[in-house]
């Protein structure tokens, strides 16, 4: 079943948009993307206000010319103005909830463009979560052990590969990469902060 | 010394075994980045910058430059065989390249693309050799106001040509510039936007930002996806027939000219060059009626143009200190990290280095021809690697690259943050190229602006009273205004234009 078929079938029976658990199809992404399309300009607008306030404190002008706050201030004004225009454009362009047939049509048209594919949020969070975890572990377990765990998770759990491939690639990507980068290329990579592990060379 | 003896000295330095090996490594990595989905040359170069710290400057730049122009070769392979452009600049090649594959002529398409790329790249490098010193002399006469206005033209072109709208383009540019503002202010010495963190006193390094936005952002956007596997292309024969060569030759010539000229313009990426080369074939080629159904011109012209562009784009970098595209901006960042400011003074201060790098361009293009044409079968096998496995391995390098730049975990967290920013910008079609340009040029733009205003004692008319600066600002205004007015006409033309997500 293709995505467009899924949305065609699922849409009439599924009340929009929060209910239903169709996290991976096109039907759910539309409202979510719309929310993001409004939230992002608002966040940028807030950012620009903060920067304007912070730059004002830095000093706008000095006797010899523009001060440290000069450029950030004008950049923030530009950012704020553009975000406001963008927000207005987004709000105006916000379409009424589309008819099921339209949804199918849109997702078919858009399937050609890679960035209009539905975003797999669960996958994104899994990748981001595991990256945050490995980053936190880098200076605790050291690069080699942290990366070994990271790759085991990525290859076995996310990519669902067999054990042989998982173990080989995980070992190469952690111990192998460390040997090449830290050993041959003298790139500094994090080591463990636990004395026992460090004494073992991690 | 005259240009020729300078170049010979450059060749002598570039032909040492170490530099040859590094050029080869750069070419292999570049081809891989172009070939494999998920990571392009901008993130690739940014990740590898820390690895070049132990090398001397010339060797580091040789390797990084090879990665840059190598990606243009690699992107062709997936365009021709799979109808998927590995890089934006190869998008247009898909049309006729993939048609040729369907007719069993994939080998010919790849050979012609490889030869065309070699010719385009080499001729553009000869152009660089000839134009370098006169342009550098001109560059030396450019003061801060002109530099500032030139950068504004570059940003205007990026904002006006790529991306959905001028509004999002300007948002991207101002976000990049604001990131560049973090750290000790260059004139008064005050910390700006450092949130009291000593780590941020030196500013936000561009490496984690770019690795996040371009590398992680792209991987997240494709998370859980499956890349298409090649259906084992039959490379029946690599040798083009005499007819193929006769038909490709004029297209290669036109592609070289277009790529070289467009490459000199700041702010225009090589995707534009290949697009223009293709559309000019559609207008003037003798075989224009066959374009779209597997004509050899449809592969030769854009592929030649994008490589001529890639090499020509180094002209404004070396002579004026202006990067013309995101990947070149990262390359410029590598110069800056080695304590060198690309620009006209470089020819005076470090002539051997510049000429060594230029000589290596000739060598690199020859290496790429050898790597790509006879070994194309080997590269296609790499495409069989499943995407989730590939992305797991790329993530390892993304972490190493962002950590190793300052040996700091904070940079890895920054990279993760900017990965999310990159994902959001991609989803909302905010162009990323303006962000890169202003991020890297930020400190230079600010210095130029403030120096100009110090010269004029705070009078902004200095940008309008100097003729070169005035002309440049008018050009920038025309570009922005015309793209705002022309935005309604854009969609049809835009359909062919690749987004800059893959740069």
């Amino acid at each position: 079943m293709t995505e467009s078929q899924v949305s065609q079938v699922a849409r009439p029976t599924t009340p929009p948009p929060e209910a239903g658990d169709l996290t991976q199809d096109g039907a759910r992404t539309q409202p979510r993307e719309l929310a993001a399309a409004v939230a992002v300009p608002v966040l940028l607008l807030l950012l620009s206000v903060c920067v304007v306030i912070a730059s004002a404190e830095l000093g706008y002008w000095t006797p010899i010319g523009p001060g440290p706050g000069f450029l950030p201030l004008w950049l923030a004004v530009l950012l704020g103005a553009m975000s406001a225009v963008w927000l207005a454009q987004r709000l105006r362009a916000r379409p009424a909830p589309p008819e099921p047939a339209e949804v199918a049509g849109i997702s078919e048209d858009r399937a050609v463009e890679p960035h209009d594919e539905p975003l797999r949020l669960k996958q994104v969070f899994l990748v981001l979560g595991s990256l945050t975890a490995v980053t936190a572990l880098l200076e605790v377990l050291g690069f080699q052990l942290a990366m070994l765990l990271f790759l085991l998770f990525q290859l076995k759990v996310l990519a669902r590969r067999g054990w042989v491939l998982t173990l080989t690639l995980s070992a190469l990507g952690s111990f192998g990469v460390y040997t090449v980068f830290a050993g041959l290329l003298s790139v500094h990579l994090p080591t463990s902060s636990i004395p026992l592990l460090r004494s073992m060379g991690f | 010394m005259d240009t020729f003896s300078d170049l010979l000295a450059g060749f002598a330095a570039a032909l040492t075994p170490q530099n040859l090996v590094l050029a080869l490594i750069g070419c292999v990595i570049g081809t891989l980045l172009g070939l494999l989905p998920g990571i392009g040359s901008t993130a690739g170069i940014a990740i590898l910058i820390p690895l070049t710290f132990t090398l001397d400057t010339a060797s580091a730049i040789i390797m990084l430059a090879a990665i840059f122009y190598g990606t243009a070769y690699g992107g062709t392979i997936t365009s021709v065989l799979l109808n998927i452009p590995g890089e934006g600049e190869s998008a247009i090649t898909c049309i006729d390249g993939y048609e040729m594959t369907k007719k069993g002529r994939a080998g010919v398409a790849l050979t012609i693309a490889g030869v065309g790329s070699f010719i385009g790249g080499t001729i553009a490098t000869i152009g660089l050799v000839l134009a370098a010193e006169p342009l550098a002399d001109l560059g030396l006469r450019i003061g801060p106001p002109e530099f500032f206005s030139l950068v504004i033209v570059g940003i205007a072109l990026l904002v006006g040509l790529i991306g959905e709208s001028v509004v999002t383009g300007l948002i991207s540019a101002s976000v990049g510039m604001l990131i560049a503002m973090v750290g000790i202010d260059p004139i008064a010495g005050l910390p700006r936007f450092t949130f009291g963190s000593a780590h941020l006193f030196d500013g936000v390094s561009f490496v984690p930002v770019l690795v996040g936005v371009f590398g992680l952002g792209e991987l997240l956007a494709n998370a859980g996806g499956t890349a298409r596997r090649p259906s084992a292309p039959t490379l029946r024969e690599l040798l083009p027939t005499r007819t193929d060569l006769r038909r490709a030759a004029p297209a290669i010539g036109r592609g070289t000219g277009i790529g070289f000229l467009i490459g000199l313009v700041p702010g225009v990426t090589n995707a534009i060059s290949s697009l223009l080369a293709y559309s000019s074939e559609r207008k003037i080629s003798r075989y224009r009626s066959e374009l779209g159904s597997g004509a050899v011109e449809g592969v030769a012209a854009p592929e030649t143009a994008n490589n001529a562009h890639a090499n020509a784009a180094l002209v404004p970098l070396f002579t004026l200190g202006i990067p013309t595209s995101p990947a070149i901006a990262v390359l410029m960042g590598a110069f800056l990290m080695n304590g060198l400011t690309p620009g006209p003074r470089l020819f005076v201060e470090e002539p051997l280095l510049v000429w060594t790098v230029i000589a290596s361009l000739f060598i690199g293009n020859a290496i790429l021809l050898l790597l790509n044409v006879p070994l194309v079968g080997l590269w296609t096998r790499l495409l069989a690697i499943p995407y989730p496995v590939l992305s797991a391995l790329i993530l390892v390098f993304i972490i190493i690259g962002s950590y190793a730049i300052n040996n700091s975990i904070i940079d890895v967290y920054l990279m993760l943050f900017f990965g999310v920013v990159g994902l959001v910008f991609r989803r909302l079609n905010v162009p990323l190229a303006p962000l890169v340009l202003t991020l890297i040029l930020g400190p230079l733009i600010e210095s130029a602006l403030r120096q100009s205003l110090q010269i004029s004692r705070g009078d902004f008319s200095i940008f309008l009273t100097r003729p070169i600066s005035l002309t440049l600002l008018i050009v920038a205004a025309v570009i922005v205004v015309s793209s705002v007015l022309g935005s309604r006409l854009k969609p049809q033309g835009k359909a062919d234009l690749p987004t800059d997500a893959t740069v």
Side-chain angles (χ1 to χ4, degrees):
Chain A
M1 201 183 232
T2 67
E3 268 156 21
S4 54
Q5 284 169 321
V6 170
S7 44
Q8 209 165 11
V9 175
R11 196 69 195 218
T13 52
T14 316
E18 283 76 19
D21 49 1
L22 295 160
T23 42
Q24 300 217 347
D25 73 25
R28 267 295 289 271
T29 54
Q30 272 218 324
R32 200 170 58 203
E33 299 263 309
L34 266 178
V38 173
V40 172
V42 169
L43 279 176
L44 288 171
L45 204 56
L46 285 177
L47 173 72
S48 70
V49 172
C50 295
V51 177
V52 166
I53 296 169
S55 332
E57 293 167 5
L58 287 169
Y60 180 74
W61 206 262
T62 66
I64 53 161
F70 175 82
L71 196 54
L73 181 79
W74 284 109
L75 283 172
V77 169
L78 176 70
L79 177 64
M82 289 301 125
S83 308
V85 174
W86 194 29
L87 181 63
Q89 285 175 347
R90 288 285 176 169
L91 287 176
R92 217 174 34 208
R94 194 172 184 163
E99 292 296 306
E102 272 178 21
V103 173
I106 287 167
S107 46
E108 254 167 19
D109 286 344
R110 289 191 169 182
V112 206
E113 286 190 38
H115 294 297
D116 285 327
E117 277 172 13
L119 186 64
R120 295 163 188 83
L121 261 194
K122 193 181 146 202
Q123 299 285 337
V124 169
F125 282 121
L126 279 172
V127 173
L128 273 179
S130 57
L131 276 172
T132 313
V134 73
T135 309
L137 286 175
L138 276 178
E139 288 187 332
V140 179
L141 296 179
F143 176 86
Q144 300 171 77
L145 291 179
M147 212 44 90
L148 181 70
L149 293 177
F150 175 76
L151 282 172
L152 287 174
F153 174 77
Q154 286 283 327
L155 295 170
K156 191 66 209 165
V157 182
L158 293 186
R160 300 199 187 134
R161 297 293 133 183
W163 276 114
V164 177
L165 186 80
T166 300
L167 289 174
T168 317
L169 284 182
S170 303
L172 281 176
S174 51
F175 303 116
V177 165
Y178 187 86
T179 312
V180 173
F181 283 74
L184 296 177
L185 298 172
S186 9
V187 173
H188 177 84
L189 290 175
T191 45
S192 172
S193 54
I194 300 170
L196 175 68
L197 284 178
R198 195 158 32 189
S199 67
M200 291 163 73
F202 291 116
Chain B
M1 269 207 297
D2 61 352
T3 303
F4 187 66
S5 52
D6 282 337
L7 183 62
L8 277 187
F11 264 107
L15 284 168
T16 61
Q18 185 196 345
N19 284 344
L20 276 178
V21 169
L22 288 169
L24 176 67
I25 295 174
C27 290
V28 170
I29 296 175
T31 307
L32 273 175
L33 292 175
L35 182 74
L36 299 173
I39 200 156
S41 54
T42 307
I45 298 173
I47 290 173
L48 290 163
I49 284 177
L51 308 185
T52 59
F53 280 173
T54 49
L55 303 172
D56 63 272
T57 312
S59 309
I61 303 289
I62 286 175
M63 185 172 117
L64 296 171
I67 296 173
F68 166 66
Y69 52 81
T71 42
Y73 280 78
T76 315
I77 301 176
T78 48
S79 299
V80 170
L81 295 181
L82 291 175
N83 203 18
I84 299 171
E87 294 277 302
E89 62 259 25
S90 295
I92 200 78
T93 313
C94 287
I95 303 175
D96 281 277
Y98 190 60
E99 286 300 321
M100 286 182 78
T101 298
K102 285 203 273 188
K103 291 180 181 165
R105 284 164 50 79
V108 176
L110 290 168
T111 307
I112 291 283
V115 173
S117 297
F118 172 74
I119 294 172
T122 306
I123 292 179
T125 310
I126 295 174
L128 168 61
V129 170
L130 298 177
E133 287 197 315
L135 268 178
D137 284 343
L138 181 76
L140 282 173
R141 288 189 210 120
I142 281 185
E146 286 79 16
F147 181 84
F148 179 78
S149 306
L150 195 55
V151 177
I152 298 294
V153 173
I155 295 171
L157 277 166
L158 272 185
V159 167
L161 285 177
I162 318 176
E164 294 271 294
S165 73
V166 173
V167 172
T168 49
L170 286 176
I171 288 177
S172 172
S174 46
V175 168
M177 186 92 179
L178 280 172
I179 300 169
M181 297 286 108
V182 174
I184 299 283
D185 137 69
I187 293 187
L190 282 174
R192 286 191 297 199
F193 314 120
T194 54
F195 308 101
S197 155
H199 180 79
L200 293 178
F201 275 29
D202 287 336
V204 176
S205 164
F206 68 88
V207 172
V209 178
L210 295 185
V211 171
V213 169
F214 284 92
L216 182 57
E218 181 72 16
L219 290 173
L220 290 177
N222 298 327
T226 43
R228 208 160 11 135
R229 311 258 298 254
S231 50
T234 47
L235 302 166
R236 260 193 255 159
E237 48 174 34
L238 284 167
L239 283 181
T241 63
R242 203 176 269 183
T243 323
D244 288 328
L245 287 177
R246 208 170 40 228
R247 284 180 53 173
I252 288 175
R254 287 188 285 266
T256 305
I258 292 172
F260 183 73
L261 290 176
I262 304 293
L264 298 175
V265 184
V268 184
T269 58
N270 42 1
I272 311 277
S273 275
S274 28
L275 196 68
L276 283 177
Y278 188 83
S279 34
S280 78
E281 287 307 305
R282 211 152 44 184
K283 289 200 185 78
I284 55 177
S285 168
R286 271 178 64 190
Y287 302 92
R288 55 182 173 268
S289 56
E290 287 174 39
L291 277 170
S293 55
V296 75
E297 291 86 354
V299 174
E303 284 306 314
T304 307
N306 80 43
N307 269 64
H309 182 116
N311 288 276
L314 296 170
V315 177
L317 178 72
F318 284 163
T319 56
L320 305 173
I322 302 276
T324 53
S325 70
I328 292 268
V330 187
L331 203 59
M332 176 167 180
F335 273 93
L336 294 172
M337 297 192 89
N338 279 295
L340 299 166
T341 307
R345 302 213 64 81
L346 208 56
F347 278 93
V348 184
E349 286 160 10
E350 296 277 349
L352 183 61
L353 176 106
V354 180
W355 288 106
T356 307
V357 173
I358 293 177
S360 84
L361 301 180
F362 287 106
I363 299 166
N365 272 296
I367 293 177
L368 281 164
L369 182 66
L370 293 176
L371 274 181
N372 276 269
V373 176
L375 297 180
V376 70
L378 200 70
W379 297 110
T380 55
R381 273 187 225 151
L382 284 171
L383 287 169
I385 301 175
Y387 187 71
V389 173
L390 189 66
S391 85
L393 297 176
I394 294 174
L395 287 172
V396 175
F397 289 97
I398 280 182
I399 292 177
I400 296 178
S402 29
Y403 175 84
I405 193 77
N406 288 321
N407 295 337
S408 159
I409 292 286
I410 298 175
D411 280 341
V412 186
Y413 285 116
L414 272 175
M415 182 275 291
L416 293 180
F417 172 76
F418 282 104
V420 177
V421 172
L423 172 69
V424 171
F425 275 23
R426 269 186 178 75
R427 295 299 298 182
L428 300 179
N429 285 325
V430 178
L432 300 168
L435 184 146
V436 186
L437 205 67
T438 51
L439 174 69
I440 300 216
L441 285 177
L444 298 175
I445 300 174
E446 186 175 21
S447 307
L449 175 69
R450 288 166 81 165
Q451 281 167 10
S452 308
L453 290 174
Q454 281 170 13
I455 297 171
S456 71
R457 300 180 191 194
D459 185 359
F460 282 89
S461 67
I462 188 170
F463 296 108
L464 304 176
T465 50
R466 295 170 64 131
I468 301 180
S469 169
L470 176 68
T471 316
L472 291 169
L473 286 178
I474 292 174
V475 170
V478 169
I479 295 165
V480 173
V481 170
S482 61
S483 60
V484 170
L485 295 178
S487 58
R488 281 190 196 161
L489 303 170
K490 266 182 182 174
Q492 303 96 20
K494 267 277 137 84
D496 289 334
L497 264 187
T499 58
D500 61 339
T502 42
V503 284

